[in-house]
Amino acid sequence: MRHPASHISDHLLVYLTLSFIAGISMASRISLPEVTISHLCLGLFVFLSLLTVLHFLQWRKTIICMFLPCLSALGYYHGQLAFEIPQNPEHIFNRITGKTEVVVIGTLATSAEFDGKTSQVIVSTEYMRFHESPELQPTTGNILLHLQGPWPTALIPGDKLIIRADLKRPDSSRTPGVFDYAQHLARKGIWISGSVRSPLFVQKLEENQGTLHTLRYLPERIRTTIGDHIDISVPAENRGLYRAILTGDISRVDGVTLETFKGSGTFHILSISGLHMTIIFILLYTALYWLLNRSERLLFRYPLRKWATILCLPVLVGYGLLAGLNAPVFRAVIMSCVVIVAVCTDRPKSPSTLLACAALIILIVEPLALLTASFQLSFVATMAILFLFPALKKLILADSTTPSPRTWRQIVLNWLLAGLLVSTVATLATAPIILFAFNRFSPVGILANLLVEPLICLWSLPAGFLAIPFIFLQPDISTWLFRIGAVGLSAAVQATTFFSSLSFSTLWLPSPPMTLMIAFYAGLLGCSLCSLLTKTWIWISGMVVTACLLLMLLFPTFLRQSPVNSFQLSFLDVGQGSATLVEFPQGMTMLIDGGGSSSTKSSVGERVIARFLWHKGIRRLDAVVITHPHADHYNGLGFILERFSPKQLWVRDRLGHDENFRQLLRLAEEHQIAIVTPQEGLRFASDDKQGFFECVANVAFDKSTSTGAKETRNLTNKGVIIKACSKQYCALFPGDIERAEEQFLIDRGYDLRAGILLAPHHGSITSNSPEFLAAVSPDLMMVSAGRSERGNFPHGHLQDDCAQKGIELLTTAESGTLEAIIGQSHLQVFGYAKNRNNPLYSYEPVLVSKKIIAWP
């Protein structure tokens, strides 16, 4: 049997890269103190010394095997360094700890992005002054600034600016499964964000700019010029798309068009990647080789194919700079450079070796790129296509041993079959990562890509790329080329609109468990090693891949991540609003309210609630309850009703108080969801012994709770009071009732006792009377409120009352999403926090309370 070291030696770079990746992965999961890291460095030094001794002893196989843990340790150390927050005391991250108004002096680092309402830019800071301080302080680091309306056109990248802005550290919903915006910015080197109230608060400082300064910001200035010319030359409906595929600026693509690309599985085409670089390389190579081939002197003296290849390199690097050199563009440039250098130096061109080399270079420069979905998707798709490469060669290239040449019909069919194979394999190979990161899968993407990719990549992209030099040489020709390319974009939009309109175009699915993803890729690896494994193992690998894929798409209930035999309540961090998921031991699930902060484009339902449900492995809900028709309790439920198909929707009445609520009710009717107006004692349960929830009271229009002149203002706060119970342990959800309704419930003698109470009206002073707290007598009180509302929600008086009565008070503003797990004898509550408050880490569960349950 062949020694493992021999196989490692044959694919050394691949194994070294995998070891380096393993080390970075460990760094994201395990954080060691500085002393331990110092010892690790010392151990690495000793280890390398040992390898040197073994080298002189000619123990080659042993050295090769020992290199792998060495690379893992180096990857871990490199990852730990990348996870460090800025240590410089002058860095803007260390200057700004809370929301602060400041005056900043810095350089505009990027061209402005504008989505039709808000523009954003990155500024490299040099000095700053706090509002109350007269002194300028030296500062380093980048900040992301937002401005309502378009950015002033007179301000271009490289200009030195003085800006008055409100700065803060970026924040995200502390809810598992939700996109971490603060982490996303930190990985891009942006630790502080802010807003500018008016264009008048941004002024240019006149300064003599040196040659190096001009050259540094020249690509961004050219990028701005290209974008401005696109706005002039291209029809309005296609401007955003052309900016996306040429300059990497996707901000100007409208939401409807973006959704059609996502729904058809072709969204990746709008992000500059290796596909775009390949098209541009082929275009350049063909033109350069044709020109060089015109000279007989060059033809007989030089290897023109290599010269044409190497001449493409600076153009590709320059295009990457023009496209902003963001993470996907940077990866595409690196991979292009690796392939070109390998071709021109006649090095062994094994696809796996080239891919490993590109990955290693990227991770050395940006180790945290490993943890991003875009990096994972790029390399998994590329590896899957490389697996097909031998079969593709047989389809596309003519076989010299075949006596009769291929007909045009055979050639066209073979190319179509090759395209279908590439699209199918790339789609299926990336499906687990797409589901884990975005919770959606487009079955139509396999066919949609066959039509949309040629329209954009073989038509619009080449026309746009050819138009770029003519912007500065002959603008009329540039405009003509852009308009020709825009026809391809219009056709692509029509194609994506058709595919996304199909009823089965998009599947919204829970996040697959990590063990299932590992099994899938292990099976895929087994399939790719067909030359090394027996047919039996290949069949087993194929069955594993198929089974894992079916489990991800069908997602049976046993894959859910909820604890077994437990009653669980999850109070979601939705900002200023309320959303609570209740899970019963037998599997029944309900959502009480679903609203929150709505300052962003997407609703809180799509942005937070749905992501959390999918993270938990929930595909369907049994019921949704709206305690009262306030927007901060229902404005995210439209998406939930569409994607999770609850059996019942409980509302206090069918009238509502605004058009949005009535529209929500119409949506429920369209999806054949039973709308229930619960009365006192109405119960929903699959098994009363395991758990149920019931309507304690519906106080919406009870005249006994009238507050006279304040009735109109308080009417929308009245609603249904819900109690959820399992094995005699209950939680009470009173909505936004105020003190009059609280007293009404007490006077009528309702059974309000509960172990957990969701604070009425987010802990407001107008609710939460001492008498109501005494009637409920909870062990824990939860407050769902935004972080910007501290001091009012919860109010200071409520905190004092809870302290006097021995009630533990927990808030989503302080602890993020609160998950209460009620077991046989203990109640545990977990919040979410980051390791050392470092934005680069992910949120992890933290135990914030533990109590012994005293059963009645």
Side-chain angles (χ1 to χ4, degrees):
M1 182 178 179
R2 196 182 183 196
H3 195 282
S6 301
H7 190 269
I8 294 173
S9 178
D10 292 342
H11 305 84
L12 184 58
L13 189 57
V14 174
Y15 281 98
L16 292 178
T17 302
L18 291 175
S19 299
F20 196 71
I21 287 174
I24 297 175
S25 301
M26 287 190 294
S28 67
R29 297 285 181 180
I30 305 171
S31 178
L32 299 178
E34 293 183 3
V35 176
T36 307
I37 293 176
S38 301
H39 291 165
L40 179 63
C41 294
L42 179 61
L44 279 175
F45 176 76
V46 174
F47 189 78
L48 291 173
S49 302
L50 178 61
L51 288 180
T52 305
V53 173
L54 292 174
H55 173 72
F56 284 106
L57 294 176
Q58 298 183 350
W59 288 7
R60 183 174 176 274
K61 293 181 178 181
T62 305
I63 292 174
I64 290 174
C65 293
M66 293 180 68
F67 257 124
L68 303 184
C70 179
L71 258 291
S72 293
L74 285 174
Y76 177 83
Y77 179 67
H78 192 50
Q80 284 289 298
L81 292 179
F83 273 103
E84 288 294 327
I85 61 175
Q87 302 298 316
N88 185 353
E90 294 182 354
H91 195 280
I92 190 74
F93 178 75
N94 298 313
R95 298 276 195 199
I96 304 294
T97 55
K99 188 173 183 179
T100 311
E101 184 179 13
V102 299
V103 173
V104 174
I105 296 176
T107 303
L108 183 60
T110 62
S111 56
E113 296 182 355
F114 181 58
D115 62 2
K117 295 182 179 179
T118 306
S119 55
Q120 69 175 28
V121 295
I122 296 175
V123 175
S124 180
T125 61
E126 298 175 21
Y127 297 94
M128 66 170 290
R129 178 176 67 82
F130 289 100
H131 180 64
E132 67 278 0
S133 173
E135 297 181 359
L136 286 173
Q137 301 178 11
T139 309
T140 61
N142 295 332
I143 57 175
L144 179 67
L145 292 179
H146 298 85
L147 172 68
Q148 289 294 320
W151 185 257
T153 55
L155 305 178
I156 61 175
D159 287 347
K160 180 163 283 191
L161 308 176
I162 181 169
I163 306 169
R164 181 179 173 184
D166 297 309
L167 301 183
K168 65 173 184 177
R169 292 183 177 181
D171 201 5
S172 306
S173 173
R174 285 175 282 180
T175 304
V178 176
F179 175 67
D180 192 339
Y181 182 63
Q183 183 187 67
H184 169 71
L185 290 181
R187 287 175 177 174
K188 296 170 63 176
I190 301 171
W191 301 84
I192 297 294
S193 64
S195 60
V196 181
R197 300 176 189 175
S198 167
L200 298 176
F201 288 0
V202 184
Q203 297 296 322
K204 181 179 178 180
L205 295 177
E206 296 299 333
E207 182 184 63
N208 292 327
Q209 297 177 351
T211 304
L212 291 178
H213 181 91
T214 302
L215 290 176
R216 178 182 176 185
Y217 293 101
L218 181 61
E220 281 295 327
R221 291 186 175 185
I222 297 176
R223 185 181 182 216
T224 302
T225 303
I226 294 171
D228 292 341
H229 191 79
I230 289 174
D231 292 342
I232 297 172
S233 307
V234 179
E237 63 272 16
N238 293 324
R239 292 171 187 168
L241 292 173
Y242 238 138
R243 277 178 169 265
I245 64 174
L246 281 182
T247 68
D249 177 11
I250 203 171
S251 65
R252 305 198 185 212
V253 183
D254 64 273
V256 175
T257 303
L258 277 179
E259 185 55 37
T260 62
F261 275 86
K262 292 178 181 178
S264 60
T266 57
F267 178 72
H268 65 95
I269 301 175
L270 300 183
S271 177
I272 297 175
S273 61
L275 174 63
H276 301 73
M277 288 291 182
T278 302
I279 297 299
I280 292 172
F281 170 76
I282 293 173
L283 181 68
L284 285 171
Y285 174 81
T286 304
L288 289 171
Y289 183 68
W290 183 85
L291 288 173
L292 294 173
N293 209 25
R294 298 307 93 193
S295 171
E296 291 185 5
R297 181 181 178 185
L298 294 177
L299 183 62
F300 289 105
R301 297 185 63 179
Y302 301 103
L304 296 188
R305 294 185 185 276
K306 291 184 179 181
W307 277 100
T309 302
I310 200 68
L311 288 174
C312 292
L313 186 57
V315 180
L316 292 177
V317 174
Y319 176 63
L321 292 171
L322 292 181
L325 210 62
N326 54 37
V329 177
F330 175 72
R331 288 196 301 272
V333 170
I334 292 296
M335 292 185 70
S336 301
C337 292
V338 168
V339 173
I340 288 174
V341 170
V343 169
C344 294
T345 56
D346 293 321
R347 302 298 298 171
K349 294 176 281 292
S350 167
S352 59
T353 301
L354 294 178
L355 192 65
C357 181
L360 186 60
I361 293 173
I362 292 169
L363 293 177
I364 289 173
V365 179
E366 294 183 2
L368 298 186
L370 175 67
L371 308 177
T372 62
S374 59
F375 177 91
Q376 297 162 9
L377 290 171
S378 296
F379 279 91
V380 168
T382 305
M383 283 189 289
I385 294 172
L386 291 177
F387 165 65
L388 270 182
F389 189 70
L392 295 176
K393 286 177 65 177
K394 292 180 181 180
L395 280 172
I396 297 172
L397 301 179
D399 188 356
S400 57
T401 61
T402 303
S404 58
R406 294 179 178 179
T407 64
W408 280 105
R409 182 179 179 182
Q410 289 175 324
I411 293 173
V412 171
L413 288 176
N414 284 347
W415 274 95
L416 287 175
L417 181 57
L420 183 62
L421 280 173
V422 168
S423 182
T424 302
V425 170
T427 300
L428 295 180
T430 56
I433 299 175
I434 291 175
L435 286 176
F436 188 84
F438 308 110
N439 299 110
R440 66 189 302 177
F441 175 72
S442 299
V444 299
I446 295 173
L447 294 176
N449 278 285
L450 284 179
L451 182 59
V452 177
E453 281 188 5
L455 287 171
I456 293 181
C457 296
L458 300 181
W459 183 344
S460 301
L461 180 63
F465 186 76
L466 290 174
I468 290 176
F470 288 105
I471 293 175
F472 308 96
L473 301 175
Q474 187 57 258
D476 291 339
I477 296 178
S478 175
T479 299
W480 178 72
L481 287 169
F482 274 130
R483 289 178 179 173
I484 290 176
V487 176
L489 291 177
S490 297
V493 170
Q494 291 178 3
T496 57
T497 302
F498 166 74
F499 282 109
S500 63
S501 65
L502 299 175
S503 59
F504 54 89
S505 64
T506 299
L507 301 177
W508 297 87
L509 298 166
S511 303
M514 189 59 65
T515 52
L516 192 61
M517 294 179 65
I518 293 173
F520 175 86
Y521 285 111
L524 201 63
L525 178 63
C527 292
S528 67
L529 298 176
C530 55
S531 61
L532 300 177
L533 300 177
T534 62
K535 289 185 178 180
T536 303
W537 281 107
I538 294 173
W539 275 104
I540 292 175
S541 299
M543 288 188 291
V544 168
V545 170
T546 304
C548 291
L549 195 60
L550 288 175
L551 286 174
M552 292 178 198
L553 296 178
L554 300 176
F555 211 91
T557 55
F558 68 82
L559 291 178
R560 279 178 51 179
Q561 300 178 20
S562 302
V564 180
N565 297 325
S566 65
F567 176 40
Q568 184 167 336
L569 310 170
S570 300
F571 303 85
L572 274 61
D573 179 16
V574 292
Q576 188 59 29
S578 181
T580 306
L581 173 67
V582 183
E583 299 174 86
F584 295 91
Q586 79 280 16
M588 186 174 70
T589 56
M590 65 176 293
L591 181 69
I592 302 178
D593 290 326
S597 301
S598 57
S599 58
T600 57
K601 294 180 183 179
S602 58
S603 72
V604 69
E606 179 181 359
R607 193 176 68 253
V608 179
I609 302 173
R611 303 296 172 186
F612 178 74
L613 294 175
W614 284 321
H615 173 79
K616 299 279 287 184
I618 296 174
R619 194 173 182 180
R620 295 284 184 269
L621 288 169
D622 291 289
V624 172
V625 178
I626 304 176
T627 56
H628 63 290
H630 252 175
D632 64 341
H633 286 251
Y634 76 82
N635 62 12
L637 289 178
F639 189 85
I640 301 302
L641 297 184
E642 290 180 329
R643 306 302 175 205
F644 292 88
S645 305
K647 299 174 184 176
Q648 294 185 5
L649 173 64
W650 284 25
V651 296
R652 71 168 197 187
D653 56 66
R654 299 191 61 144
L655 299 176
H657 75 297
D658 59 16
E659 177 57 28
N660 290 333
F661 187 75
R662 289 191 288 271
Q663 184 177 351
L664 184 68
L665 296 181
R666 288 194 293 268
L667 180 66
E669 292 174 345
E670 290 173 4
H671 286 78
Q672 299 180 343
I673 300 170
I675 301 176
V676 178
T677 303
Q679 300 300 320
E680 176 185 340
L682 181 63
R683 179 175 291 187
F684 187 102
S686 60
D687 182 356
D688 283 358
K689 294 182 180 180
Q690 291 295 322
F692 63 87
F693 66 91
E694 66 176 354
C695 174
V696 176
N698 187 342
V699 297
F701 298 108
D702 196 301
K703 295 183 179 179
S704 304
T705 63
S706 175
T707 55
K710 298 182 179 179
E711 180 62 22
T712 301
R713 178 177 68 85
N714 294 336
L715 180 60
T716 53
N717 287 335
K718 298 179 179 180
V720 294
I721 289 83
I722 300 295
K723 180 183 282 190
C725 301
S726 177
K727 297 181 180 179
Q728 298 183 311
Y729 195 91
C730 298
L732 188 67
F733 303 88
D736 278 2
I737 63 172
E738 300 193 349
R739 296 199 175 206
E741 290 76 47
E742 292 175 355
Q743 192 60 46
F744 166 78
L745 295 172
I746 296 171
D747 294 341
R748 289 291 183 92
Y750 287 106
D751 182 10
L752 303 176
R753 292 172 300 170
I756 296 177
L757 170 64
L758 179 61
H761 208 169
H762 316 284
S764 168
I765 194 174
T766 60
S767 307
N768 304 283
S769 64
E771 296 79 10
F772 184 71
L773 296 183
V776 179
S777 186
D779 301 316
L780 283 173
M781 191 171 191
M782 308 293 195
V783 178
S784 179
R787 284 179 277 283
S788 62
E789 301 293 340
R790 294 175 185 175
N792 295 321
F793 304 102
H795 196 272
H797 289 300
L798 176 60
Q799 299 180 51
D800 295 338
D801 290 343
C802 287
Q804 292 176 3
K805 296 180 181 297
I807 301 172
E808 187 173 3
L809 184 68
L810 301 175
T811 70
T812 57
E814 295 291 338
S815 303
T817 290
L818 294 165
E819 293 188 277
I821 302 174
I822 299 96
Q824 297 294 333
S825 58
H826 289 83
L827 162 65
Q828 293 180 309
V829 181
F830 294 88
Y832 283 85
K834 293 192 174 187
N835 184 11
R836 295 176 290 182
N837 291 322
N838 186 337
L840 290 169
Y841 285 100
S842 300
Y843 286 109
E844 298 290 343
V846 177
L847 183 65
V848 294
S849 179
K850 184 175 182 179
K851 296 181 179 296
I852 298 176
I853 298 177
W855 296 102

